[in-house]
Amino acid sequence: MTGAPSFSIPARPTRRYPHGSGVEYEGGTEFELRPDHRYTEPELAAVVTDILADGPYRYGDFHDLPMPLWLVRDEDTADVFRVAVRDGTVRLHVLPETESAGLRRFYERLRDADPSLSWAVDRRVDA
C-alpha cells in the first residue's frame, strides 16, 4: 500500500451472546500490519507491549492463548479494538464501536517505534 493507509472500516462485526458461552463476533474487518523485516513473535509482542505501556492506552492481555492478544482502549480517541501478534504480523481487529482514528494512531506509533522499518497494511473484510 502506498502512502498512509486510511483504516476505513467497511464492515463491523456483530456481537452475539450464545447461551452460557460468553461473547462471539461474526463478520467484521481486520487490518494486518506486516513489517518489511522478519520479526519473531516474541520480538513483535515486545514492540506492541512497549507501545501499549507508553500510552495513551488502557489494555489487558488474554492468558492461555496460542498467541499474544490484547484488548486495547485508546484513551484519547475512546476507540476499543483487539491487537494480536501472529505469523510475523500485528493484527488489529475491529470491534462493533471501533473507529478509524484509534487504529490509525496505533499504526503510527508502531511505525514510529522503528523508523527504519516499512509496514505493509492489508485489510481483510468478512461480511
Side-chain angles (χ1 to χ4, degrees):
M1 180 177 262
T2 59
S6 73
F7 290 97
S8 65
I9 303 169
R12 296 177 185 283
T14 302
R15 192 178 280 138
R16 294 183 335 121
Y17 301 95
H19 182 68
S21 65
V23 64
E24 293 178 357
Y25 294 96
E26 291 181 352
T29 302
E30 175 185 290
F31 295 91
E32 186 177 271
L33 315 177
R34 183 177 306 280
D36 64 356
H37 171 77
R38 180 128 175 95
Y39 274 101
T40 66
E41 188 171 288
E43 290 170 331
L44 269 180
V47 171
V48 169
T49 301
D50 289 346
I51 290 168
L52 294 174
D54 285 345
Y57 299 106
R58 188 169 10 149
Y59 62 95
D61 61 346
F62 293 83
H63 299 283
D64 301 324
L65 293 177
M67 65 182 176
L69 178 67
W70 298 266
L71 181 62
V72 175
R73 175 184 166 89
D74 183 316
E75 292 295 333
D76 289 343
T77 66
D79 286 315
V80 177
F81 49 95
R82 289 186 319 232
V83 177
V85 174
R86 185 173 190 166
D87 300 328
T89 66
V90 176
R91 298 178 186 190
L92 307 180
H93 299 264
V94 172
L95 296 175
E97 294 83 20
T98 305
E99 296 296 335
S100 298
L103 302 172
R104 189 176 312 105
R105 287 177 50 134
F106 187 87
Y107 164 76
E108 290 167 356
R109 288 185 174 100
L110 184 62
R111 186 192 60 207
D112 293 347
D114 185 347
S116 70
L117 286 179
S118 293
W119 291 83
V121 178
D122 294 316
R123 180 179 70 188
R124 290 191 293 195
V125 178
D126 182 17

